[in-house]
């Protein structure tokens, strides 16, 4: 085997293959590495996915709430009014980007809460007599519904719709009555 190139250790090969370029690093910072996170969560089970869903919904929902209420207080209009969506999205984008700084904490908290969610999924499956994946799906849909309704209710309660509920105004309901 004279003239053969000596084999490189696997760690050197892995390092060369996995080293991202500058644009990939920027993209990963702003958008996260969802594939790697999903793989890690999959290894931890359905409870980890469910707990991460709750934590993500809560943090992004809080971010949306803060952005919405700040926009309403600054402009006196909701982002749903004509010509307001783009300025709102520009403001929200800054807050959304900051979510990347708390991503490791969200992930760590999801891992810590995974056993509790795993027990919840198993309990729901047992109670319903359904397979575990069906119980998981039901739990994820329920999480989505509860967090969406909670966000909408909080926006309504704290004045996020100063002129009323825009989707109900054409029907003559949803107007804010000023005493």
């Amino acid at each position: 085997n004279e003239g053969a190139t000596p084999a490189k250790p696997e760690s050197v090969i892995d390092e060369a293959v996995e080293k991202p370029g500058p644009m990939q690093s920027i993209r990963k910072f702003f958008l996260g590495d969802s594939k790697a996170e999903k793989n890690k969560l999959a290894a931890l089970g359905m409870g980890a996915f469910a707990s991460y869903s709750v934590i993500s919904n809560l943090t992004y929902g809080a971010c949306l709430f803060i952005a919405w209420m700040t926009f309403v207080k600054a402009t006196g209009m909701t982002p749903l009014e004509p010509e307001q969506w783009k300025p709102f999205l520009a403001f929200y984008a800054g807050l959304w980007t900051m979510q990347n700084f708390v991503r490791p904490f969200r992930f760590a908290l999801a891992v810590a809460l995974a056993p509790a969610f795993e027990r919840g999924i198993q309990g729901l499956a047992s109670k319903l007599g359904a397979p575990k994946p069906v119980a998981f799906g039901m739990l994820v849909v329920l999480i989505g519904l509860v967090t969406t309704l909670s966000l909408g209710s909080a926006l309504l309660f704290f004045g996020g719709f100063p002129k009323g509920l825009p989707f109900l105004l054409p029907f003559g309901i949803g107007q804010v009555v000023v005493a």
Side-chain angles (χ1 to χ4, degrees), residues 60 125 146 151:
Y60 281 108
V146 168
L151 176 62

Side-chain angles (χ1 to χ4, degrees), residues 110-124:
V111 169
L113 293 175
F117 277 86
E118 191 69 37
R119 286 189 301 275
I121 293 167
Q122 191 60 47
L124 184 61

